[in-house]
Amino acid sequence: MRLTDFWERMDAVFGPDYARSWASDFSLAALGGRSVVQAIAAGYDTREIWDAVCGVVEVPPLLR
């Protein structure tokens, strides 16, 4: 998944303003306790990050 696709999905789920805040502040166990922003900086694959987000947030099937 391209990074732009990832952020489009985040915006669709959380709204454009809250998506960035959530991505910075929320730690995900599936990512070793990292936030989305930290996982991106650490080089995690965006598909893996998106799967981790989907594991803790209700995401519409179309966006999974």
Side-chain angles (χ1 to χ4, degrees):
M1 170 187 308
R2 294 183 333 211
L3 187 58
T4 55
D5 294 333
F6 173 82
W7 284 116
E8 286 174 3
R9 291 176 188 211
M10 288 289 289
D11 289 348
V13 171
F14 294 102
D17 294 327
Y18 187 58
R20 299 316 188 267
S21 176
W22 192 93
S24 294
D25 298 338
F26 195 85
S27 297
L28 297 160
L31 301 174
R34 290 174 180 82
S35 70
V36 166
V37 171
Q38 290 170 330
I40 290 170
Y44 279 67
D45 182 72
T46 51
R47 181 77 236 179
E48 182 179 358
I49 298 169
W50 183 245
D51 288 343
V53 171
C54 291
V56 297
V57 176
E58 191 171 321
V59 176
L62 182 64
L63 294 175
R64 285 187 173 262

